[in-house]
Amino acid sequence: MLLTNLINNLIANASLLLVGLYIISRLTKLGVTTKLPLRRQVTISFLLAGLSIVITLHGVLWNAQADFQYGFVPIIMSALYFGLTGVRITYVASILVLPFILTETLLLIAFLDYTLAASVAVAFMWFRERIKPARDIRIVNAISLGFISLFSLLNVSNYNQAETYVMTLFAFITIGYSAGFLLHIVYGGIHKIQRSERLISKYKEAAFTDALTGLGNRRRFEEEMKRVDEEVFNGTQDVALLFLDIDHFKSINDTYGHDAGDVILVELGNRLTQTARTDDMVCRNGGEEFSVLLADCTLSQGFVIGKRYLRQIAEAPFLLPDGSLIDVTVSIGIASTSESKIATSSQLIKKADVGLYVAKRSGRNRLGKWNEKKAN
């Protein structure tokens, strides 16, 4: 085989490696990262073993004693990303299949190549305090290529065309290092993108989350009201809105302190969340005022749920930091898009707020509606 053909085939083999890794990253939908559940790590390790086998099957056969291929690279990646568990799975799974696809001589060469790569990766992990896979792929790949090359050069005298063999080996090293360097750049870039996305997601979540209770804040509530305008009033399903306000909360703060007040706010948020359904949204709108947006809910259904909240909050005392118990009640205002006079989210909010005022004026610990003189 001409040297140019050998080099072209080496490039094709490296391309198969890169394409296979890309497909695996797309199949897993998360890319290859160190922070994956164990089950996902095992799955990806087996996929990397499969990629090693495919690459080996399409290796560049120079003659009966030389087979150039980059099937050891997935083993390195599995080791650096998933540790000993990953390298054991990928290495063993690859080795078990090799006897079925290679002749005896080539099997020995592939076995030694894979063993060298796995050993280098494990040794590298042992001596490093902290592995950074995106960078260390290039380093371990280069070390592995060096050991494999030295091993291969020991047999150079056994070939009739020693010069062609050395040139092919040199191309193998160059292309293999380039592939490792490209993986270093690509996966390093993926990690930076993933990190940026995580930070952006974290900041977005913080912007819409109440720091004390972990519930949605007023901004989250306002965003949800925009969705109500866009979807609910143009659809067939109704929603109900509950505004809840802790009765005599200022007196609680003045008597027991703000730490006790914070504990009550957190516990109330927990109780509201526990009762809410998956599609409902609980928010702390500010101070002692909370809201619950009840999905797919008419006014009459909202009354049933609102009264349930009243009972659950009033019947179970709240535990304060000093170990004492205190009875807490809330007043609730209700409005629903099922009412004919409510056609926008602004009207929904205003009517629920009026209902809360009715409940407060009627003696508290009640459920109020905007067009009633007294609360229930």
Side-chain angles (χ1 to χ4, degrees):
M1 184 181 294
L2 295 176
L3 180 60
T4 53
N5 290 337
L6 287 170
I7 294 174
N8 287 338
N9 289 338
L10 280 172
I11 294 173
N13 195 253
S15 300
L16 183 62
L17 165 68
L18 298 175
V19 170
L21 290 174
Y22 173 77
I23 292 174
I24 290 174
S25 68
R26 297 301 296 174
L27 286 175
T28 59
K29 297 182 180 179
L30 291 173
V32 180
T33 75
T34 56
K35 297 180 179 179
L36 290 178
L38 179 61
R39 183 178 298 179
R40 184 62 62 87
Q41 291 186 20
V42 171
T43 300
I44 297 177
S45 295
F46 275 113
L47 289 174
L48 289 171
L51 179 60
S52 289
I53 294 165
V54 171
I55 293 171
T56 303
L57 186 62
H58 294 84
V60 180
L61 186 63
W62 192 76
N63 62 24
Q65 292 180 292
D67 178 47
F68 296 105
Q69 42 83 19
Y70 301 104
F72 60 90
V73 178
I75 297 175
I76 292 174
M77 293 190 65
S78 184
L80 294 181
Y81 279 102
F82 307 136
L84 291 176
T85 300
V87 72
R88 286 169 182 164
I89 293 173
T90 306
Y91 173 75
V92 173
S94 301
I95 294 300
L96 289 177
V97 177
L98 288 180
F100 299 99
I101 61 176
L102 296 177
T103 62
E104 183 176 346
T105 302
L106 297 181
L107 172 63
L108 176 62
I109 294 172
F111 173 76
L112 289 173
D113 289 352
Y114 285 18
T115 303
L116 279 169
S119 301
V120 170
V122 171
F124 193 81
M125 290 188 295
W126 180 265
F127 289 108
R128 289 293 298 274
E129 293 182 0
R130 184 180 180 185
I131 294 294
K132 295 182 178 180
R135 179 191 63 191
D136 296 338
I137 288 172
R138 175 171 55 91
I139 299 173
V140 178
N141 180 52
I143 296 173
S144 300
L145 282 167
F147 277 111
I148 291 170
S149 300
L150 289 174
F151 166 74
S152 183
L153 283 172
L154 294 176
N155 295 322
V156 67
S157 59
N158 295 330
Y159 299 95
N160 296 328
Q161 298 175 307
E163 183 178 352
T164 302
Y165 178 70
V166 171
M167 291 297 295
T168 305
L169 182 60
F170 178 77
F172 170 72
I173 297 170
T174 303
I175 296 170
Y177 180 80
S178 299
F181 187 74
L182 183 59
L183 287 172
H184 158 68
I185 294 174
V186 170
Y187 277 88
I190 290 175
H191 284 181
K192 288 180 180 178
I193 293 172
Q194 290 174 336
R195 184 173 181 272
S196 298
E197 289 176 347
R198 287 196 298 269
L199 288 174
I200 291 171
S201 176
K202 181 179 178 181
Y203 293 144
K204 282 184 177 180
E205 189 63 28
F208 289 97
T209 303
D210 177 60
L212 177 64
T213 63
L215 302 174
N217 58 14
R218 188 169 188 83
R219 183 177 295 181
R220 171 63 60 82
F221 174 78
E222 291 171 350
E223 287 295 317
E224 195 67 15
M225 288 300 103
K226 292 179 182 178
R227 187 191 67 81
V228 170
D229 277 326
E230 294 171 358
E231 299 178 10
V232 175
F233 288 106
N234 295 321
T236 58
Q237 293 184 342
D238 291 304
V239 297
L241 176 63
L242 303 179
F243 273 167
L244 302 90
D245 190 89
I246 301 176
D247 297 330
H248 305 295
F249 187 69
K250 184 178 184 302
S251 298
I252 294 174
N253 274 332
D254 293 342
T255 304
Y256 299 97
H258 289 280
D259 288 344
D262 288 347
V263 168
I264 290 173
L265 291 171
V266 172
E267 176 60 20
L268 177 58
N270 291 336
R271 294 189 188 185
L272 295 175
T273 303
Q274 290 169 4
T275 304
R277 299 166 299 174
T278 303
D279 294 333
D280 296 341
M281 187 190 69
V282 182
C283 293
R284 181 189 175 200
N285 291 39
E288 68 272 25
E289 185 177 289
F290 292 76
S291 64
V292 182
L293 184 66
L294 303 171
D296 192 15
C297 185
T298 62
L299 182 64
S300 59
Q301 293 169 331
F303 261 97
V304 174
I305 297 172
K307 289 180 178 180
R308 184 188 306 157
Y309 275 128
L310 288 176
R311 290 193 304 272
Q312 290 177 340
I313 294 168
E315 291 175 358
F318 285 63
L319 179 65
L320 299 183
D322 61 3
S324 60
L325 295 172
I326 181 176
D327 291 325
V328 175
T329 61
V330 298
S331 297
I332 304 177
I334 183 171
S336 173
T337 57
S338 61
E339 300 175 82
S340 59
K341 292 187 178 181
I342 296 179
T344 65
S345 65
S346 297
Q347 292 175 345
L348 181 68
I349 294 170
K350 183 177 179 180
K351 301 299 186 184
D353 195 43
V354 173
L356 177 59
Y357 173 75
V358 171
K360 289 284 188 183
R361 189 182 60 185
S362 302
R364 295 181 170 84
N365 192 24
R366 285 170 167 78
L367 180 63
K369 186 174 180 293
W370 63 272
N371 58 356
E372 293 178 335
K373 293 182 179 180
K374 292 185 178 181
N376 294 285

